[in-house]
């Protein structure tokens, strides 16, 4: 266990979080409560390309609050050296859509500008760097992240339609009143946006304990239309809810945890 007096013996992991809005701040909090946070010394660097006095104050408040339980980790704001030597960069910078009808494509200009500021002409030192792109429009920003950073495709990952699949899974579970002993498996292809394609032919039930296949799920056209509407428009209908995106943030923490566990 990595305590205050023993942190020098723990391996340091350099994590830069680009953008400290709802997504970035939630990920930072999850990281500090991750099960591996006691085994590593996290150097968490907040890179905020649009850092005004309000945003700087928000970051500072977070850093001061960590003194309560997480003093064996270190924090910094816009530390270029830490950024260029990062093991992981979580790219969540950009401007959040504020309207219920806001389309992700409306965020392209601001997200692209932030991406260019963060990655263009940067000389990243770690050949094993992993950049996790989260900013919307996700697929396009993941592309520009790789282009501007001049890294290989293996260095840049995005969550794709993972969150959309979790939303579809939730609605299917409610639609079929799935019991706790079973779990729904389903898939969504395409973009993380209005052109996503739910693949109902892949949807099936599995045993929640053994993960064994139970049965294929059959859908009427009416059910497909209803589930499509719920899944595609979920972000617009619940734009002001942070909870609806918690699965995504947890998946990022899981991705980092898996990578870190391989090093233990």
């Amino acid at each position: 266990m990595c305590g205050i007096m023993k942190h020098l013996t723990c391996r340091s992991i350099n994590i830069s979080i680009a953008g400290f809005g709802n997504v970035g701040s939630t990920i930072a909090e999850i990281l500090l409560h991750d099960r591996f946070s006691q085994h590593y010394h996290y150097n968490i660097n907040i890179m905020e390309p649009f850092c005004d006095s309000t945003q700087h104050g928000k970051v500072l408040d977070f850093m001061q609050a960590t003194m309560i339980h997480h003093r064996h980790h270190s924090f910094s704001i816009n530390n270029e050296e830490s950024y260029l030597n990062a093991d992981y960069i979580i790219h969540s910078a950009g401007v959040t859509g504020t309207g219920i009808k806001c389309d992700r494509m409306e965020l392209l200009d601001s997200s692209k500008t932030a991406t260019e500021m963060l990655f263009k002409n940067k000389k990243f030192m770690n050949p094993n760097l992993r950049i996790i792109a989260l900013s919307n429009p996700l697929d396009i920003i993941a592309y520009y992240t790789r282009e501007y950073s001049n890294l290989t495709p293996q260095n840049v990952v995005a969550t794709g339609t993972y969150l959309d699949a979790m939303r579809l899974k939730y609605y299917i579970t409610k639609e079929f009143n799935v019991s706790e002993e079973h779990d729904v498996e389903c898939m969504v292809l395409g973009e993380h946006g209005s052109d996503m394609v739910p693949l109902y032919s892949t949807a099936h039930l599995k045993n929640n304990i053994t993960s064994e296949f139970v049965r294929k799920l059959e859908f009427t056209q009416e059910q497909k239309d209803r589930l499509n509407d719920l899944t595609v428009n979920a972000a617009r209908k619940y734009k002001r809810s942070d909870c609806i995106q918690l699965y995504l943030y947890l998946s990022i923490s899981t991705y980092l945890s898996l990578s870190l566990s391989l090093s233990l």
Side-chain angles (χ1 to χ4, degrees), residues 174-214:
K174 296 300 182 182
E175 180 73 22
F176 287 90
N177 195 25
V178 176
S179 64
E180 292 185 1
E181 66 185 71
H182 294 144
D183 193 21
V184 173
E185 285 286 312
C186 59
M187 184 181 299
V188 177
L189 296 182
E191 68 157 342
H192 177 57
S194 57
D195 291 328
M196 70 181 74
V197 181
L199 293 184
Y200 294 103
S201 60
T202 67
H204 63 274
L205 291 181
K206 68 176 184 179
N207 187 290
N208 211 14
I209 299 177
T210 65
S211 295
E212 293 180 349
F213 176 87
V214 176

Side-chain angles (χ1 to χ4, degrees), residues 101-200:
K101 296 182 179 180
C102 179
D103 187 274
R104 292 179 178 92
M105 287 302 297
E106 295 176 17
L107 309 176
L108 177 57
D109 288 343
S110 62
S111 294
K112 184 181 176 183
T113 298
T115 302
E116 184 174 4
M117 294 170 63
L118 287 163
F119 297 105
K120 191 172 183 179
N121 298 324
K122 300 292 185 181
K123 295 182 179 180
F124 295 105
M125 306 304 293
N126 187 348
N128 297 315
L129 168 66
R130 292 292 183 269
I131 301 174
I132 306 172
L134 299 179
S135 296
N136 282 314
L138 180 62
D139 310 272
I140 298 175
I141 294 304
Y143 167 80
Y144 279 117
T145 300
R146 199 212 67 78
E147 285 290 299
Y148 288 140
S149 66
N150 201 31
L151 296 172
T152 69
Q154 288 71 33
N155 291 103
V156 181
V157 298
T159 54
T161 54
Y162 181 85
L163 175 58
D164 305 303
M166 291 300 99
R167 285 170 170 159
L168 178 62
K169 176 178 179 175
Y170 171 82
Y171 291 125
I172 291 177
T173 300
K174 296 300 182 182
E175 180 73 22
F176 287 90
N177 195 25
V178 176
S179 64
E180 292 185 1
E181 66 185 71
H182 294 144
D183 193 21
V184 173
E185 285 286 312
C186 59
M187 184 181 299
V188 177
L189 296 182
E191 68 157 342
H192 177 57
S194 57
D195 291 328
M196 70 181 74
V197 181
L199 293 184
Y200 294 103

Side-chain angles (χ1 to χ4, degrees), residues 220-231:
T220 66
Q221 189 58 52
E222 181 181 354
Q223 286 176 313
K224 291 180 181 179
D225 291 342
R226 181 167 58 254
L227 292 168
N228 279 351
D229 178 67
L230 289 170
T231 304

